Amino acid sequence: MQLLSNFLKHKKIDSELIELIDTLMLACKEIALQLREGELSGVLGISDNTNVQGETQKKLDIIANEVLKKVLLDNPLVRGVASEEEDHAVFGNPEGRFLVTFDPLDGSSNIDINVSVGTIFSILEVPPGEHEDSDSLFLQPGTQQLAAGYVLYGPHAVLALTTGDGVNMFTLAHTGDFLLTHEDVTVPSTTREFAINMSNQRYWEPAMRDYIGDLIAGSDGPREQNYNMRWIASMVAEVHRILTRGGLFSYPWDSRNPGQPGKLRLMYEGNPMSMLIEQAGGASTTCYDRIMEIQPEHIHQRVAVALGSREEVQTLMRYHQDS
Ligand code: P6P
């Protein structure tokens, strides 16, 4: 079994990027350890705080955020970080080369019921000649990402990583090493499995209601085949299933917040997951356009998401274009 850093060296990845990924994994191992202890660690449950999203923070949201911030900003390669849990970007070495965005603990509403959660991350480079610390340094389209990935804290902890040359997965061993367990991951182009929060059906655009309605009609409907549904309420777990066996995941625009394009966040959910899915041969869109081509205007900007098996995403887009 190949160690993460040896695998990346063998792929001739930039040595400073390898160092940064190793640093990120130090934080994720600490988060995995805290999670594994569960109740015994005394870190479950909610804190007294709410984040910039207006969401009540779990104690582990705060712990994960603090661990990632400290470990990353202690590395002189890092200029700054942008986190779901921070109102604005936090800066470190003014000569640092990299910018890191992250959702420290995606799906954290699942922590107290012991269902999988994950850390999602995206790595960008500081644009040349930018000497002023500002959120605007991060406002780069997803196509600019050098690397992206997640660590899924499930029955076992798995890192899914892309550096722009395919997707590989590494499992956290009891030794504390991430070992290569899945090489050149690819998403099957078709699927019979979809993931969406059906309780929002009445709030969707008609095109999404029609598309999902035809999946549910199964062999009695125009798709002429039956489909299965999943909803874990943890994007990392849904994307991991899709990278593993295909599928379609969507969190579309809905009329509960008509001024918002969607619930999920572009910089540390939409873009990193889109890079992984595209690098594995899938597609990732807003239901209309490619997510990775969006020019961000705010580090906490939201986005509608429909991603997964390429042919199924294209079918979903046809429903929306036809409407
Ligand atoms: P809902 C978790 O809070 C998250 O950001 C994603 O991981 C997940 O897919 C989605 O929101 C779940 O949202 O509305 O079903 O609770």
Side-chain angles (χ1 to χ4, degrees), residues 30-52:
E30 175 56 30
I31 294 165
L33 280 173
Q34 299 252 6
L35 278 165
R36 189 183 301 150
E37 294 289 295
E39 282 296 347
L40 301 176
S41 60
V43 296
L44 298 189
I46 60 173
S47 71
D48 303 330
N49 309 356
T50 55
N51 64 16
V52 65

Side-chain angles (χ1 to χ4, degrees), residues 48-92:
D48 303 330
N49 309 356
T50 55
N51 64 16
V52 65
Q53 328 285 346
E55 297 162 340
T56 302
Q57 289 180 302
K58 300 282 188 182
K59 290 178 193 166
L60 268 170
D61 280 325
I62 296 169
I63 293 168
N65 186 55
E66 291 306 317
V67 166
L68 281 157
K69 259 194 324 185
K70 170 156 181 33
V71 165
L72 287 168
L73 295 178
D74 279 354
N75 187 320
L77 288 171
V78 177
R79 168 75 177 271
V81 299
S83 165
E84 180 192 20
E85 304 299 338
E86 298 286 337
D87 295 6
H88 292 285
V90 184
F91 290 92

Side-chain angles (χ1 to χ4, degrees), residues 55 84 103 106-109 197 200 231 233-236 238 249 251 256 263-265 269:
E55 297 162 340
E84 180 192 20
D103 181 352
D106 178 66
S108 54
S109 60
N197 183 337
N200 300 327
W231 190 248
S234 177
M235 187 185 193
V236 182
E238 316 274 9
F249 166 88
Y251 211 110
R256 291 175 296 170
K263 170 182 182 183
L264 303 178
R265 274 73 54 159
E269 289 173 321

Side-chain angles (χ1 to χ4, degrees), residues 225-244:
Q225 58 184 3
N226 293 329
Y227 288 80
N228 189 26
M229 198 199 98
R230 288 284 181 273
W231 190 248
I232 308 174
S234 177
M235 187 185 193
V236 182
E238 316 274 9
V239 170
H240 191 73
R241 184 186 61 250
I242 289 169
L243 285 172
T244 305

